[in-house]
Amino acid sequence: ACFFVLIGTMSIAGYGYYNHPVSYIDVDINPSLELAVNTFDRVVNVTFFNDDAEELISEDSLTGCKPEEAVSLILQAASNSGYIVDGETSVVSLAAYGNNQSKTTSVLQVCAETAVSENENIAVYSTTVTDDLKSEANAACISAGKLSLIKMLQELDATATVEDLRDDSISSIVKQLTYLASDANDSVSSE
């Protein structure tokens, strides 16, 4: 009986350990979602930040995949659904968060390299995020990657708000950033 209790306890502990996320990868196009990744580099949970993401791909198709495989599946689904269009450059944001900075950065780099190598119509913005930014993004119910870009935009346009930009695509936010940054540079050079 003790043997069976021990085996049961070890099974439950192992299951809990396997399903415990140690890092997170946010993937944003306009479908916006977050991959929770365990210590074995497997996706154990998916959080959808908007309806577009829920309609794009199912959690079951991503759970158990390596993060870069999940990113590849997401981008393929986005391409099939018209969020990534042939002949146009789409911006994809990949943001990573985790307690082990070097491992998180490594996972992010592999995901970004996979995205670029498999999709010629994609420009990837990748970043790691801080605890504070991650907490703020969670409170706003958006991804940390999108919030990071919104904060950059707010530095150039004080009227920009998270609420106004929450449903914008990453490409749209980056276009606004590019326009405002070039406009700011033009005014500096003319003075």
Side-chain angles (χ1 to χ4, degrees):
C2 288
F3 175 74
F4 290 115
V5 169
L6 178 63
I7 295 298
T9 303
M10 287 175 37
S11 296
I12 291 169
Y15 178 79
Y17 183 69
Y18 180 86
N19 285 310
H20 179 73
V22 295
S23 60
Y24 300 87
I25 305 291
D26 291 353
V27 182
D28 285 290
I29 305 163
N30 182 24
S32 182
L33 53 95
E34 179 177 79
L35 307 170
V37 181
N38 69 12
T39 195
F40 304 107
D41 286 332
R42 298 292 179 186
V43 175
V44 293
N45 190 32
V46 179
T47 302
F48 299 99
F49 289 112
N50 57 22
D51 293 338
D52 291 342
E54 286 186 52
E55 294 169 9
L56 180 69
I57 196 163
S58 72
E59 180 173 1
D60 290 342
S61 63
L62 301 174
T63 303
C65 292
K66 289 186 170 212
E68 63 271 18
E69 293 167 351
V71 167
S72 182
L73 289 170
I74 293 163
L75 296 179
Q76 183 60 48
S79 181
N80 293 342
S81 298
Y83 292 105
I84 297 173
V85 180
D86 284 339
E88 295 179 18
T89 300
S90 297
V91 181
V92 175
S93 169
L94 299 174
Y97 167 80
N99 292 332
N100 182 333
Q101 188 67 26
S102 64
K103 183 168 176 66
T104 300
T105 301
S106 175
V107 170
L108 176 64
Q109 183 176 355
V110 171
C111 289
E113 288 170 358
T114 299
V116 169
S117 70
E118 293 182 1
N119 302 278
E120 59 188 45
N121 297 327
I122 291 180
V124 175
Y125 163 75
S126 64
T127 187
T128 55
V129 296
T130 64
D131 292 342
D132 291 340
L133 186 67
K134 177 72 173 143
S135 295
E136 189 177 340
N138 287 346
C141 297
I142 63 172
S143 74
K146 184 174 263 189
L147 183 59
S148 175
L149 286 167
I150 291 171
K151 286 190 167 293
M152 282 188 235
L153 185 60
Q154 288 174 327
E155 289 180 19
L156 298 171
D157 179 2
T159 65
T161 67
V162 172
E163 197 56 42
D164 289 340
L165 298 168
R166 106 175 12 265
D167 295 325
D168 283 12
S169 70
I170 296 301
S171 291
S172 172
I173 294 170
V174 168
K175 283 178 187 173
Q176 291 176 56
L177 268 168
T178 303
Y179 173 77
L180 290 171
S182 67
D183 194 37
N185 287 335
D186 288 345
S187 65
V188 169
S189 63
S190 68
E191 292 175 6

